[in-house]
Amino acid sequence: MDSPSSSSMMNFYYNEFFADGDGSTDEELEQEAVTSACQLAVRYVNHSRRPEAPKNKRSYVERDRRAAHERLMKDYFDEAPTFSNEVFRRRFRMSKRLFLRIINDLEANYDYFKQKPDARGYLGFTGIQKCTSALRILAYGNTTDINDEYLKMAEKTTRDSLEHFCRGIIDVYGARYLRTPTWEDLQKIYEVHNAEHGLPGMIGSIDCMHWRWDNCPTAWRGQHTRGDQKGPTIILQAVASQDLWVWSAYFGVVGSCNDINVLEQSPLLEEWISGKAPKASFYANGNYYPHGYYLSDGIYPRYSIFVKTFSDPIDEKRAYFKKVQESSRKDIERCFGVLKQRWQYLRNPCRAWSKQKMRDAMYACIIMHNMILEDEGKAICQNYVPEGVHQEHPQASMEERVSNARELRYEPYHSQLMVDLVHHAWSVRYVPPEGEEETEDEEDEVGEGDESEDEN
């Protein structure tokens, strides 16, 4: 229906009130004219106005939380559960004993994980349901609405459970499972690395890993993108020992930086300069060294705490050390692989909007990785005393910081350490007896003879 124009309104007024001579008074005509004008004005406004969109009310979904809790308990936590402990270990990435320990600690320290009634008086989700939801997201890397069918948990509740779970893991267990090694820990680490790799004084291997950030803001994409990566990333620097225990983790540097930029910003270097890093002496090739070192790749500087490989070995000893160093440095690569395989959330591009949420998820996964190693008896340092966590270190003076920095960057120390490690690795290498060498040569000759006969 078209809106009335001004000319049609004038014609209507004239024909309605002035063309007819029905004997009406002027006051009555004036009152009728005003009333009709108001009605026409309302009709005109209604026809000219854009129609309002219907307001959609929020839909309510009835979720049976109690039935979901009973089904979860029957499947995994009853005396005779539906699924075995092996299936629980595969789906939850940890043993049932460790999972229940985490739930009890979070319920004791955080009110969020306690079951409470909502505004209507209905009981909410239990701590087991919230922790199960968070672990499933971290383990399988799914979206936050994946738990709506099995756990009857909405997307918003799943997202909140994940954030509180990661933050709780860091607050409760971070001081113990992301600690720097103590002097006793270093003695055990030295012993294992000397036996496994033939390198005395080795603390661990250091390297960096990139984590894709899908929802990186457009204004930040330039500083988070590097040419060898497919998109915006954030970098993790970690130190791992032979048992894949992560002794140091620093996450949050933009993806455009290289390993040296990350090292200069990390607290690892600051601990050595301020004198807070634990030190344990060792001997290599008969020479005394006051502290240990980390195995690194070629981009790291020639500091006293790094041992790199040779790009072009000039003799047999250096070639053998190159082989030993590169094979031993694979500990950190294996650690990154296990982290991504165990927590698919770290393998997939992150969909979080906040760097703090990404940081909490990364540190929570690393802490639970160390907890799993300790729970399964695979860690080098099993018997740790928690009372030694909170140790206060005196503030280093400026003269001490300058002296420590000079000692850290003293290149002759690095060169002498490399020479002694080359000689030590060559002296402790495995040399097979002469009979075994001849047997291997004979087997090779026999194998070649068989192949030639088959060809003939």
Side-chain angles (χ1 to χ4, degrees), residues 29-74:
L29 291 175
E30 183 179 356
Q31 184 177 1
E32 292 180 4
V34 172
T35 303
S36 300
C38 293
Q39 293 176 354
L40 286 174
V42 171
R43 289 173 56 190
Y44 182 77
V45 170
N46 292 334
H47 281 282
S48 325
R49 182 183 300 170
R50 181 177 298 179
E52 296 182 358
K55 296 182 179 180
N56 296 327
K57 295 183 179 180
R58 180 180 177 183
S59 60
Y60 174 73
V61 179
E62 182 65 33
R63 295 179 174 88
D64 196 350
R65 304 172 185 173
R66 173 176 292 184
H69 174 73
E70 293 175 354
R71 181 170 57 252
L72 179 64
M73 297 297 294
K74 180 181 178 181

Side-chain angles (χ1 to χ4, degrees), residues 124-170:
F125 292 101
T126 61
I128 291 182
Q129 287 176 290
K130 293 179 179 179
C131 293
T132 301
S133 173
L135 267 182
R136 289 298 180 87
I137 297 298
L138 294 176
Y140 290 95
N142 295 323
T143 55
T144 51
D145 62 344
I146 196 66
N147 295 324
D148 200 353
E149 296 177 351
Y150 181 70
L151 296 176
K152 301 301 179 183
M153 186 176 293
E155 181 180 359
K156 177 66 166 60
T157 309
T158 302
R159 190 163 55 246
D160 292 344
S161 299
L162 178 62
E163 296 174 7
H164 285 85
F165 180 81
C166 294
R167 190 69 253 170
I169 290 292
I170 296 173

Side-chain angles (χ1 to χ4, degrees), residues 403-444:
S403 176
N404 293 335
R406 187 182 296 112
E407 179 184 354
L408 180 68
R409 297 178 172 88
Y410 190 55
E411 192 168 331
Y413 182 101
H414 172 83
S415 302
Q416 183 62 38
L417 176 61
M418 292 283 293
V419 171
D420 289 337
L421 289 177
V422 167
H423 288 289
H424 178 85
W426 181 259
S427 63
V428 300
R429 76 187 190 283
Y430 174 73
V431 179
E434 297 180 358
E436 292 186 6
E437 292 182 352
E438 294 177 356
T439 304
E440 293 177 357
D441 295 340
E442 291 176 358
E443 290 178 355
D444 295 340

Side-chain angles (χ1 to χ4, degrees), residues 111-332:
D111 189 63
Y112 178 81
F113 292 96
K114 298 178 182 178
Q115 188 180 26
K116 303 181 295 295
D118 55 12
R120 303 174 302 166
Y122 294 99
L123 288 177
F125 292 101
T126 61
I128 291 182
Q129 287 176 290
K130 293 179 179 179
C131 293
T132 301
S133 173
L135 267 182
R136 289 298 180 87
I137 297 298
L138 294 176
Y140 290 95
N142 295 323
T143 55
T144 51
D145 62 344
I146 196 66
N147 295 324
D148 200 353
E149 296 177 351
Y150 181 70
L151 296 176
K152 301 301 179 183
M153 186 176 293
E155 181 180 359
K156 177 66 166 60
T157 309
T158 302
R159 190 163 55 246
D160 292 344
S161 299
L162 178 62
E163 296 174 7
H164 285 85
F165 180 81
C166 294
R167 190 69 253 170
I169 290 292
I170 296 173
D171 293 341
V172 176
Y173 302 109
R176 174 171 181 174
Y177 292 98
L178 270 184
R179 71 185 190 275
T180 56
T182 61
W183 187 87
E184 292 80 8
D185 295 335
L186 289 176
Q187 299 302 317
K188 299 177 182 178
I189 294 173
Y190 287 175
E191 182 180 356
V192 172
H193 285 165
N194 192 17
E196 294 291 335
H197 302 313
L199 296 175
M202 172 184 168
I203 302 176
S205 305
I206 184 172
D207 204 357
C208 293
M209 180 189 77
H210 289 256
W211 189 14
R212 282 277 307 278
W213 189 11
D214 257 8
N215 289 334
C216 176
T218 305
W220 293 359
R221 283 184 174 268
Q223 61 179 337
H224 286 81
T225 305
R226 207 169 70 179
D228 58 341
Q229 302 295 325
K230 297 181 179 180
T233 60
I234 299 181
I235 303 177
L236 165 70
Q237 176 188 275
V239 174
S241 53
Q242 190 271 339
D243 59 345
L244 307 185
W245 184 285
V246 180
W247 291 103
S248 175
Y250 176 61
F251 179 79
V253 182
V254 296
S256 60
C257 297
N258 57 22
D259 293 3
I260 299 179
N261 305 137
V262 180
L263 175 67
E264 295 296 334
Q265 302 177 47
S266 68
L268 180 67
L269 206 62
E270 174 62 25
E271 289 178 355
W272 286 91
I273 294 177
S274 61
K276 297 180 180 179
K279 299 180 180 180
S281 60
F282 69 97
Y283 286 88
N285 197 31
N287 294 326
Y288 172 82
Y289 291 93
H291 57 78
Y293 56 86
Y294 308 102
L295 298 185
S296 63
D297 54 11
I299 192 174
Y300 284 87
R302 296 171 59 86
Y303 288 174
S304 62
I305 59 174
F306 296 133
V307 169
K308 306 192 294 182
T309 185
F310 297 102
S311 58
D312 187 16
I314 59 177
D315 55 6
E316 189 176 1
K317 291 183 178 181
R318 292 172 181 262
Y320 178 76
F321 179 78
K322 175 182 174 67
K323 179 180 178 181
V324 171
Q325 196 271 353
E326 291 177 351
S327 62
S328 302
R329 202 185 66 82
K330 296 301 180 183
D331 293 342
I332 185 64

